[in-house]
Amino acid sequence: MARAIWSGVITFGLVTVPVGLYTATEDHTVHFHQLQRGTSDRIRNRRVNERTGDEVGSGDIVKGFPVGEGEYVVVEPDELDEIAPGRSQTIDISDFVELEAIEPVYFDRTYYVAPRGKEYTKVYELLRAALAEGDKAGIATFVMRNKQYLTALRAEDKVLVLQTLHWADEVRDPGSELPELPSGRAGSGKELRMALQLVDALSGEWEPERYHDTYQEKVRELVKAKAEGQEVAVAEAPPEATNVIDLMQVLEGSLEAARSGRGGKGTTERKTGSAQGEPARTAGDAKTAKPRSRKAPPSKSGTASARSRGGGGGGRGGGEGRSELRKLSKAELYQRAADQDVAGRSKMSREELVDALAGSGRRRKKSVA
């Protein structure tokens, strides 16, 4: 039975529920000791004075903040303790936000939250069900081990999940930090349509147990092979980058391999938008299509969510062209389809939503004329 690493209460409004916090994940990395080459002697790290080379005890170590060359502001450990936020016992939810409005880059560690006693399960389940039904996340701060965390409390099946978040000033802007990014979005060319078909052919249900840390498995195989005096297998070289000139040929080959590798998936296709050359969908795809997922971590920005509700000139009766519609996520397309009351939208693929919205826009313009 797992032990709680933190205990306290969750509050929202005047409602309070005592809870415990439990680590949701565990590390399975293979760990090694450091040895001196040619011996079985362990290597130990020591704290030494950089100038004298003498070892320094922990009681004689203070912290220094550099303010100039060789100059420091010295801070004692007890001075940091005095200004620390202390031990908090409250996760006080201050706001509820759309779950999908929190960008994935903000998420850090994941913890399970459980009620501290059977008598608290009803209030606990009330909060969990409210978050699940509203597809919301409760935003709160709390203190653990003398550190303050920004957190998002969200619902999964039968359990509340608390995820620590990075503070806004900790998240880097990719536009200013990364050396090379595309200057524009891919249009509606033949390569994009082929790429969409390839994504469709490789699509399936999320089954996390299918995936394994193959590198750690190789590390264990390496240790076992060396212990038994066997040959060690060498990894293959990484594939070369795709030449833009050969892109269409590579996409066609990938699509054919994906379809044949999945038992011929895609050979009995129900085609949509064939006049426009739209990607085909398999007959089973419509059954699994969902406008949004409450169990998956959020993936849309607040700006995108605002657009999906009709902000930014794209609301009811927008009637954009296909190239503009393809710039939107499936969730945004679905919201626009809902705004325009497109029939059968819940079973449509992303391309079918584009098709329907483009056609809806043309019909509206004709009716106005």
Side-chain angles (χ1 to χ4, degrees):
M1 184 72 70
R3 294 182 59 185
I5 62 171
W6 180 94
S7 61
V9 297
I10 294 175
T11 65
F12 60 108
L14 300 178
V15 181
T16 300
V17 53
V19 297
L21 209 62
Y22 299 81
T23 304
T25 60
E26 60 183 3
D27 182 23
H28 64 191
T29 303
V30 177
H31 295 281
F32 294 92
H33 293 304
Q34 290 183 320
L35 307 175
Q36 183 175 355
R37 190 186 302 277
T39 73
S40 296
D41 300 337
R42 290 278 303 275
I43 302 299
R44 302 289 185 182
N45 294 322
R46 298 188 306 160
R47 295 182 175 89
V48 299
N49 184 307
E50 186 181 66
R51 179 177 57 84
T52 66
D54 296 334
E55 188 170 358
V56 180
S58 59
D60 291 327
I61 297 177
V62 295
K63 296 182 181 294
F65 185 85
V67 293
E69 188 170 346
E71 296 183 4
Y72 296 88
V73 173
V74 177
V75 179
E76 295 285 345
D78 58 352
E79 292 178 306
L80 291 174
D81 292 338
E82 290 173 359
I83 65 169
R87 184 174 183 275
S88 169
Q89 291 185 303
T90 305
I91 300 174
D92 188 10
I93 300 176
S94 59
D95 305 282
F96 290 96
V97 303
E98 293 288 339
L99 182 57
E100 64 178 17
I102 307 174
E103 297 177 6
V105 69
Y106 281 92
F107 287 90
D108 190 12
R109 288 180 170 267
T110 304
Y111 299 91
Y112 292 137
V113 181
R116 285 192 290 126
K118 188 171 290 187
E119 64 270 31
Y120 307 122
T121 56
K122 182 175 181 179
V123 181
Y124 174 93
E125 173 57 20
L126 179 67
L127 174 58
R128 192 209 64 79
L131 291 175
E133 289 298 319
D135 209 12
K136 300 279 189 178
I139 304 300
T141 58
F142 86 113
V143 175
M144 180 171 62
R145 297 168 183 164
N146 287 331
K147 183 176 179 180
Q148 189 174 44
Y149 294 90
L150 178 66
T151 67
L153 191 70
R154 63 183 183 86
E156 285 195 359
D157 288 343
K158 298 183 179 180
V159 68
L160 284 171
V161 173
L162 183 137
Q163 292 183 278
T164 58
L165 305 174
H166 294 291
W167 302 94
D169 59 1
E170 295 177 329
V171 177
R172 293 179 172 180
D173 175 20
S176 60
E177 296 287 342
L178 305 185
E180 295 293 339
L181 287 174
S183 57
R185 290 180 180 270
S188 56
K190 192 175 181 181
E191 290 92 349
L192 178 59
R193 291 196 295 272
M194 186 68 70
L196 289 169
Q197 291 183 46
L198 178 57
V199 171
D200 266 351
L202 293 173
S203 294
E205 294 292 328
W206 165 237
E207 299 173 2
E209 62 277 1
R210 289 178 51 209
Y211 307 95
H212 303 276
D213 187 341
T214 56
Y215 175 71
Q216 293 302 318
E217 292 173 356
K218 292 292 185 184
V219 171
R220 290 186 176 89
E221 291 174 5
L222 168 65
V223 172
K224 182 179 179 181
K226 289 181 71 70
E228 297 175 353
Q230 299 178 358
E231 291 290 327
V232 178
V234 179
E236 297 179 1
E240 296 181 359
T242 300
N243 190 325
V244 177
I245 299 175
D246 303 326
L247 180 57
M248 196 63 199
Q249 182 180 352
V250 172
L251 285 169
E252 289 174 347
S254 300
L255 182 58
E256 183 63 31
R259 286 173 173 170
S260 61
R262 296 209 168 201
K265 178 180 176 182
T267 57
T268 55
E269 296 169 337
R270 174 177 56 82
K271 298 203 172 184
T272 59
S274 57
Q276 299 293 331
E278 301 299 334
R281 301 280 292 185
T282 60
D285 287 343
K287 296 180 181 178
T288 58
K290 298 179 182 178
R292 55 196 315 196
S293 171
R294 291 177 179 168
K295 294 173 64 177
S299 58
K300 308 299 176 194
S301 67
T303 304
S305 296
R307 287 200 305 267
S308 72
R309 291 192 292 270
R316 189 179 295 273
E320 294 93 334
R322 292 179 186 277
S323 60
E324 290 300 316
L325 289 169
R326 285 201 179 91
K327 295 177 182 179
L328 304 179
S329 67
K330 185 176 180 181
E332 292 170 290
L333 292 168
Y334 180 83
Q335 185 59 51
R336 294 201 179 187
D339 291 342
Q340 298 182 24
D341 199 23
V342 174
R345 57 186 177 274
S346 64
K347 295 183 178 180
M348 290 184 180
S349 68
R350 186 176 183 279
E351 282 302 309
E352 288 169 347
L353 287 169
V354 169
D355 218 16
L357 288 169
S360 175
R362 288 195 297 270
R363 288 194 297 272
R364 286 176 179 272
K365 289 178 181 179
K366 289 179 180 179
S367 63
V368 172

